[in-house]
Amino acid sequence: MPLLEDIWSSRVLSNDGKYHEAFERELASYLQVPHVVLVSNATLGLLLALRDSGMRGKVLTTPFSFVGTSHALTFAGLDPVFVDIDADTLNIDPVRLEEAMDETITGILPVHCFGRSCDVDSIAVIADRHRVPVVYDAAHAFGVCDEGGSILRHGDYAVLSFHATKVFNTFEGGAVICRSEESKRSIDLLRKFGIVDETHVELTGLNAKLNEFQCALGCVQLRHVDDYIYRRGQIDARYRQLIAEIPGLRMLAPASGGKRNHYSFPILVEPGYPLSRDALMHKLRAHGVVARKYFSPLISDLPMYRDRPSAAAHNLPVAQRISSSILCLPMFPDLSEQDQQRVISLLHH
């Protein structure tokens, strides 16, 4: 409340006010990255990064993501080409990525799905060999680190989401992580219409600014996010202990190395379980437990994408299999042990 009162009294509600500057600076420090550009949401962040990357034409991406990933490509005038995923990480499979590369491909848009890091080293080798840029959709990956530091340092750009459902949120919002001062300056201009000053417009940009109210919320949230992640970790550990006893439900192995953010808790409903995935979901919902089929249907199965050659089911066998069996259980910092036990009880048939 004191921050909101300060904003109101200052009469600066947007356009890079003091809370915008403070949040951008504090966020870069927390994430251990050199260059951050705040944006009003991750979809606009992807559009700006794709525009600045110079991609034209076909871009390799995953079918196993929120639809905003491919929509950003399409809105940017690019052509999504779907590549199958790895069964263990649920991220784009580097082997299939290499197989899909040809002279028509101008970029790669992978996703750190559920906050689990892609095989960034293999993707970097492929991108360097074929001389194409990489923009990471890191919407789920706030605060995630590998052995070398923040996973946001990988690729030419990484784009975070601060939507209300994320580990860290400003209600809506996001950030573009840039590798260089030059890229930051370009994205900064693109997010405010390309305007340099009152009389100079340097680029064809759009309005993707984050306002002072949301930036102030971001500054406050940064004080608490480590506690949120710690509590998510406790919930993750309890799920793992209790679900291990239930035949027919498979959990993903814990993400390896570095710091995790426990963004989501997916399970795979396999043939040994007495209910189908959809039947289990409906059972949970009938008892007030909202479990989600992330991500089903696949992006490649949606009407605007399914006619593309790369969207054919036989090209994406792993993604198809995972999409038909995955169910994400409730995961949020305030999930009580009692409520979590209720979820586990309902999983026992």
Side-chain angles (χ1 to χ4, degrees):
M1 288 302 297
L3 300 188
L4 296 181
E5 290 168 355
D6 185 44
I7 291 168
W8 194 248
S9 64
S10 75
R11 298 177 180 245
V12 178
L13 306 184
S14 189
N15 287 339
D16 302 350
K18 74 176 186 179
Y19 287 102
H20 176 279
E21 298 305 305
F23 181 34
E24 195 167 86
R25 183 174 61 251
E26 292 172 19
L27 187 63
S29 175
Y30 178 89
L31 295 174
Q32 304 169 41
V33 295
H35 305 292
V36 172
V37 180
L38 297 173
V39 289
S40 48
N41 60 61
T43 305
L44 287 173
L46 284 172
L47 285 171
L48 298 180
L50 292 168
R51 173 67 176 270
D52 201 52
S53 73
M55 294 183 192
R56 300 288 184 271
K58 295 182 178 180
V59 177
L60 300 180
T61 191
T62 173
F64 191 77
S65 180
F66 179 64
V67 71
T69 303
S70 289
H71 279 1
L73 287 168
T74 304
F75 257 85
L78 301 168
D79 186 7
V81 177
F82 298 111
V83 176
D84 207 4
I85 61 173
D86 177 86
D88 295 323
T89 67
L90 310 188
N91 292 321
I92 200 164
D93 185 337
V95 175
R96 302 289 174 254
L97 193 68
E98 180 64 71
E99 291 173 352
M101 290 296 306
D102 62 31
E103 67 280 357
T104 68
I105 302 300
T106 66
I108 305 172
L109 177 56
V111 177
H112 296 300
C113 190
F114 301 143
R116 302 164 70 86
S117 177
C118 290
D119 185 345
V120 291
D121 294 333
S122 295
I123 292 172
V125 169
I126 294 168
D128 289 346
R129 182 184 301 127
H130 295 275
R131 299 182 180 179
V132 297
V134 179
V135 174
Y136 276 103
D137 182 336
H140 299 175
F142 184 93
V144 177
C145 296
D146 58 21
E147 292 83 352
S150 172
I151 65 167
L152 302 175
R153 74 190 190 281
H154 296 288
D156 296 273
Y157 307 86
V159 180
L160 287 165
S161 171
F162 301 153
H163 183 264
T165 58
K166 299 300 186 286
V167 170
F168 175 92
N169 82 86
T170 57
F171 294 171
E172 288 274 8
V176 181
I177 311 303
C178 306
R179 275 181 136 179
S180 68
E181 191 98 31
E182 180 184 3
S183 294
K184 175 175 167 52
R185 179 181 179 276
S186 181
I187 299 289
D188 265 327
L189 280 174
L190 284 170
R191 73 178 171 85
K192 49 186 179 182
F193 303 102
I195 295 172
V196 178
D197 55 38
E198 291 184 10
T199 57
H200 296 89
V201 180
E202 186 173 312
L203 300 170
T204 304
L206 44 74
N207 183 10
K209 301 186 300 294
L210 193 64
N211 64 58
E212 285 290 271
F213 285 82
Q214 290 172 290
C215 290
L217 176 59
C219 290
V220 174
Q221 292 276 55
L222 278 176
R223 303 173 196 165
H224 304 286
V225 68
D226 285 337
D227 180 54
Y228 300 156
I229 292 172
Y230 173 76
R231 282 148 61 187
R232 284 175 174 269
Q234 291 181 307
I235 294 164
D236 183 289
R238 282 199 298 270
Y239 270 141
R240 291 188 180 279
Q241 178 185 358
L242 297 170
I243 292 175
E245 305 168 359
I246 305 176
L249 297 182
R250 182 164 71 87
M251 299 172 285
L252 300 180
S256 59
K259 178 182 175 184
R260 293 168 276 167
N261 68 7
H262 309 287
Y263 170 75
S264 185
F265 198 88
I267 59 172
L268 300 173
V269 183
E270 300 192 320
Y273 192 72
L275 297 177
S276 70
R277 186 273 310 276
D278 287 1
L280 175 58
M281 182 189 73
H282 292 312
K283 175 187 176 182
L284 291 170
R285 291 196 175 195
H287 289 83
V289 176
V290 180
R292 303 295 294 270
K293 296 190 292 184
Y294 287 139
F295 295 98
S296 179
L298 295 173
I299 297 174
S300 52
D301 289 335
L302 298 174
M304 65 288 298
Y305 298 112
R306 64 188 176 206
D307 292 334
R308 297 164 184 266
S310 64
H314 68 266
N315 289 331
L316 307 167
V318 178
Q320 290 287 342
R321 176 165 54 83
I322 296 296
S323 180
S324 68
S325 62
I326 196 163
L327 194 63
C328 290
L329 301 178
M331 168 60 82
F332 53 94
D334 293 331
L335 181 65
S336 69
E337 192 168 350
Q338 180 182 3
D339 281 339
Q340 190 177 11
Q341 185 60 60
R342 188 160 65 90
V343 174
I344 298 297
S345 297
L346 289 168
L347 295 178
H348 286 278
H349 186 66

